């Protein structure tokens, strides 16, 4: 039996990432929601939105990013950003690095949905800043070997 008083490590990590995403939105006026997803379309963390909407957005952004990579697979460099502009706002998608695996097909993808009033330059800058700081929250330092020199 699991107590609600003690969150699981996965829930705690997801909550922390969601809090970081909320901070990203606070820094860029006109942003509405943000989501971090695996390259295969599973949501890892998201800001306030219905779970079904987050699941849908995770699938959409991983597909958009994958299509961009497929289109330019023989080109030098990587996909920096995919943007969908609409009269009602924009969707910005960026690679957030390898995330939890070294497999390129499972890259982590960051999305931000904005209102039409958002400044695309500022949104892009804040997303880049967020991504640069993300690794420190996803990487766990190796524990020292307490059995050095001792046989098991």
């Amino acid at each position: 039996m699991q107590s609600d008083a003690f969150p699981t490590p996965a829930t705690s990590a997801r909550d922390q990432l969601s809090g970081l995403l909320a901070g990203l939105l606070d820094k860029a006026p006109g942003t509405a929601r943000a989501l971090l997803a695996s390259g295969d379309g599973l949501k890892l963390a998201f800001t306030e939105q219905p779970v079904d909407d987050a699941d849908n957005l995770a699938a959409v952004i991983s597909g958009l990013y994958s299509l961009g990579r497929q289109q330019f697979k023989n080109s030098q460099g990587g996909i920096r950003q995919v943007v969908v502009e609409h009269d009602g706002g924009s969707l910005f998608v960026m690679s957030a690095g390898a995330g939890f695996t070294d497999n390129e097909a499972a890259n982590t993808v960051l999305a931000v949905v904005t209102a039409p009033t958002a400044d695309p330059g500022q949104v892009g800058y804040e997303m880049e800043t967020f991504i640069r700081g993300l690794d420190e929250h996803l990487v766990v330092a190796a524990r020292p070997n307490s059995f050095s020199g001792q046989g098991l």
Side-chain angles (χ1 to χ4, degrees):
M1 175 187 252
Q2 184 177 346
S3 168
D4 289 337
F6 299 101
T8 63
T11 302
S12 179
R14 179 174 286 170
D15 289 346
Q16 289 176 351
L17 283 172
S18 294
L20 292 171
L21 287 171
L24 165 65
L25 297 183
D26 289 342
K27 293 177 184 176
T31 54
R33 345 179 234 150
L35 181 132
L36 193 63
S38 65
D40 57 358
L42 298 175
K43 66 183 178 308
L44 302 174
F46 56 98
T47 57
E48 294 295 320
Q49 58 190 295
V51 173
D52 288 345
D53 289 354
D55 286 332
N56 185 44
L57 183 58
V60 167
I61 66 171
S62 68
L64 280 173
Y65 192 78
S66 180
L67 285 170
R69 273 200 346 238
Q70 181 65 29
Q71 179 62 39
F72 296 103
K73 67 181 177 184
N74 296 324
S75 300
Q76 298 249 347
I79 300 296
R80 283 182 241 136
Q81 184 179 56
V82 176
V83 179
V84 177
E85 292 184 59
H86 184 271
D87 291 340
S90 298
L91 168 63
F92 295 83
V93 181
M94 288 185 181
S95 172
F100 303 105
T101 179
D102 292 332
N103 180 353
E104 185 177 336
N107 278 347
T108 307
V109 183
L110 172 65
V112 172
V113 177
T114 72
T117 58
D119 176 0
Q122 185 173 5
V123 173
Y125 171 79
E126 294 301 341
M127 288 176 75
E128 285 283 341
T129 302
F130 177 86
I131 291 165
R132 278 195 301 270
L134 190 59
D135 284 343
E136 69 189 52
H137 297 283
L138 295 178
V139 176
V140 177
R143 291 184 287 178
N145 185 353
S146 60
F147 296 107
S148 292
Q150 299 176 356
L152 295 176

